[in-house]
Amino acid sequence: MGKSSLILLVLLACGCCFATYNLLTLVMHHRGTGRWVMDESDDMLIPDPIVEMPKNVKKPRNAKIPFHVALTATDAPYSKWQCRIMYYWYKQQKDLPGSEMGGFTRILHSGSPDNLMDEIPTMVVDPLPAGLDRGYIVLNRPWAFVQWLKKAAIEEEYVLMAEPDHIFVRPLPNLAHTGYPAAFPFFYIKPDKNEKIIRKFYPEEKGPVTNIDPIGNSPVIIKKDVLAKISPTWMNVSLKMKEDPETDKSFGWVLEMYAYAVASALHGVQHILRKDFMLQPPWDLETKDKFIIHYTYGCDYNMKGELTYGKIGEWRFDKRSYLRGPPPRNLPLPPPGVPESVVTLVKMVNEASANIPNWNSE
């Protein structure tokens, strides 16, 4: 199947057109208010600097609105051990007070079952046709969601899009509100600084580029029917961005993240931005009041507890050190002086590996 055939297949299957979008009707957004709003689920004031939610769309007091955790993954050893840790901590947090986690699915976009099918609830979907991802494996993610949303019977109204290198550090509530998905803002996603490129995919008649949120697709909690509308566009924008040399060079490994942000804006969807959604060691120093550890960056320190980022440290934890198999059990803890976030990360990896059977298998 060629590129044009795949795109046509998705457009026909989902009733979408890249040029004509069925804009979602949402309540009015207010940018840059800098106000505080009441989260009526727990009577707490929360900072809401991006979207001020009208009172009539707040979550009702004591309402529990579960979301389905959807984890896209490959069958590579590198992906497998991260998925096993992620699923372990999902199970630990799922039924604790404050959690609104529902079911869990690993969306395996390798096209074939693997040896984790009995350990982790999994749906196998097809990868993109050979060569279409051009070695950029995450380009399979939006196509995986398109397939999953059409095939799966998902009980929950909401979906959390997650990744293998996420660890639930505490029970996660549903951060979304009616009509408003919730997302983590990434400092390196800057639509307004890349307007020339963005305009290739988000024409001026759609509005200012500030309509595009500084996010990727993960972590995002979103209504599944909204995600079903966005996903085909997300896939097609990703492919178009990858085909454009200037865009591919400029966006690099975050290209698919920009594609999700643009696709959401094309459908008129904006997100509540929650900085407490996630932390990223070693830059974020504490796990306090955060929900997910994202261990995408390497953590390198000398024995004085000083960060040596960019230089291999005397002590280090970097997921890329374990491309061919899982890290050993009982990893050494970092030296004194290393931030609590890094210490917690290693302790949580160690707890998971100690309790997962056959840990050293690929």
Side-chain angles (χ1 to χ4, degrees):
M1 183 182 295
K3 298 179 186 177
S4 58
S5 299
L6 176 68
I7 294 173
L8 179 60
L9 182 151
V10 174
L11 295 178
L12 291 175
C14 303
C16 293
C17 176
F18 182 77
T20 305
Y21 299 99
N22 177 21
L23 298 181
L24 303 179
T25 302
L26 301 177
V27 292
M28 184 172 293
H29 299 83
H30 302 274
R31 290 258 161 185
T33 62
R35 299 178 182 175
W36 291 76
V37 297
M38 179 69 75
D39 183 349
E40 294 183 1
S41 62
D42 56 7
D43 289 334
M44 291 181 63
L45 284 173
I46 57 173
D48 188 27
I50 304 300
V51 177
E52 182 179 0
M53 295 173 292
K55 190 172 184 179
N56 64 338
V57 302
K58 304 282 184 61
K59 185 189 298 183
R61 185 186 301 272
N62 299 323
K64 189 169 184 178
I65 306 176
F67 55 86
H68 195 96
V69 180
L71 171 66
T72 52
T74 74
D75 60 358
Y78 175 67
S79 178
K80 287 180 180 179
W81 68 257
Q82 293 175 54
C83 289
R84 299 180 84 189
I85 291 174
M86 197 270 197
Y87 184 59
Y88 172 86
W89 282 107
Y90 156 82
K91 291 188 294 182
Q92 305 310 304
Q93 308 288 1
K94 178 181 182 294
D95 296 322
L96 295 181
S99 168
E100 291 180 85
M101 299 177 183
F104 187 104
T105 302
R106 181 180 62 134
I107 308 171
L108 182 62
H109 52 76
S110 62
S112 302
D114 65 6
N115 62 340
L116 296 183
M117 304 294 290
D118 293 333
E119 179 178 330
I120 304 175
T122 299
M123 174 174 281
V124 178
V125 298
D126 293 327
L128 291 168
L132 194 59
D133 65 14
R134 302 187 185 189
Y136 181 52
I137 193 69
V138 294
L139 214 58
N140 288 278
R141 185 177 294 146
W143 177 222
F145 273 108
V146 169
Q147 296 174 80
W148 177 65
L149 289 164
K150 289 190 70 66
K151 294 179 179 179
I154 308 162
E155 294 183 5
E156 298 84 358
E157 184 181 6
Y158 286 82
V159 170
L160 164 66
M161 293 187 281
E163 297 181 19
D165 59 355
H166 287 177
I167 292 177
F168 294 107
V169 72
R170 58 179 37 84
L172 179 62
N174 190 337
L175 303 177
H177 293 261
T178 304
Y180 289 90
F184 176 78
F186 290 90
F187 71 90
Y188 48 78
I189 302 297
K190 300 177 179 179
D192 58 331
K193 302 296 184 183
N194 293 280
E195 182 166 3
K196 178 186 173 185
I197 293 174
I198 291 292
R199 284 303 185 194
K200 295 182 180 183
F201 314 96
Y202 188 75
E204 291 189 10
E205 57 265 29
K206 293 296 181 182
V209 293
T210 51
N211 286 347
I212 300 170
D213 293 320
I215 61 173
N217 84 290
S218 179
V220 167
I221 300 177
I222 186 170
K223 293 183 75 172
K224 65 184 176 185
D225 61 337
V226 178
L227 180 58
K229 293 178 181 180
I230 292 173
S231 293
T233 308
W234 171 27
M235 192 199 80
N236 290 323
V237 172
S238 296
L239 292 173
K240 286 177 176 289
M241 284 185 170
K242 192 64 179 175
E243 290 171 359
D244 182 74
E246 181 185 20
T247 305
D248 188 25
K249 182 179 179 180
S250 297
F251 289 168
W253 64 275
V254 298
L255 179 148
E256 172 264 346
M257 297 173 69
Y258 270 103
Y260 174 79
V262 169
S264 298
L266 286 168
H267 284 279
V269 177
Q270 292 180 311
H271 300 68
I272 303 166
L273 304 187
R274 294 287 298 250
K275 289 186 177 181
D276 60 346
F277 208 155
M278 191 167 74
L279 71 143
Q280 302 185 99
W283 312 115
D284 295 310
L285 306 182
E286 297 181 352
T287 61
K288 185 177 185 295
D289 299 326
K290 302 294 196 302
F291 296 106
I292 294 172
I293 293 178
H294 182 210
Y295 54 100
T296 188
Y297 297 104
C299 300
D300 287 276
Y301 293 86
N302 62 28
M303 298 313 291
K304 297 179 181 179
E306 298 167 336
L307 183 66
T308 62
Y309 192 79
K311 177 183 177 181
I312 294 177
E314 297 173 274
W315 180 94
R316 79 178 328 225
F317 176 77
D318 188 336
K319 65 179 184 178
R320 295 163 192 83
S321 300
Y322 309 103
L323 296 176
R324 298 180 180 177
R329 284 173 164 156
N330 198 27
L331 291 168
L333 294 179
V338 170
E340 176 268 334
S341 62
V342 179
V343 176
T344 298
L345 167 60
V346 177
K347 286 182 176 180
M348 295 185 83
V349 169
N350 281 345
E351 179 178 330
S353 65
N355 289 282
I356 295 174
N358 303 314
W359 173 246
N360 291 324
S361 64
E362 295 186 2

